[in-house]
Amino acid sequence: MGWKKARRRKLMKNIGSEQEYREQIKQEGLTVGIFTTTWCPDCKRLDMFIDEITQEHQDKQWFTIDRDEFPEISEEQTVMGIPSLLVFRNGEKVAHLHSANAKTPEAVNEFLNEL
């Protein structure tokens, strides 16, 4: 494991249960969830630049959730494409960057800077 992946693990939590997800989105501050899968080419592209983005936005909590492992949560949050970035505060979704707009670091940063 490279130092970048080790560093990201400190900044980004990988959701392993619905309860963990529910607790994560209840935070008072902004929490960014990345809905992804293991087989998605655009997810792999996002993975290439997301480390730098999480570094720039350390004022937010970050987590990843596998859409295939939690289809009910994905449906509840209207995640139609992946990767999708959803932003939560106090359990409410406040913003959603759909997959078509999450393909470049510039687009993701612009989305996050507008929050």
Side-chain angles (χ1 to χ4, degrees), residues 11-64:
L11 296 176
M12 194 172 313
K13 182 177 192 163
N14 187 27
I15 298 298
S17 71
E18 184 174 345
Q19 179 182 349
E20 201 174 23
Y21 161 77
R22 301 277 175 214
E23 289 172 7
Q24 189 69 37
I25 67 169
K26 286 183 185 177
Q27 305 294 318
E28 278 186 40
L30 292 177
T31 301
V32 181
I34 301 174
F35 285 69
T36 186
T37 65
T38 57
W39 52 265
C40 159
D42 287 338
C43 299
K44 293 183 187 323
R45 183 179 308 140
L46 176 70
D47 200 40
M48 291 172 21
F49 61 81
I50 197 65
D51 290 339
E52 290 77 19
I53 290 174
T54 59
Q55 287 294 319
E56 292 173 30
H57 295 273
Q58 291 186 38
D59 58 322
K60 299 163 184 66
Q61 297 290 319
W62 289 85
F63 71 88
T64 61

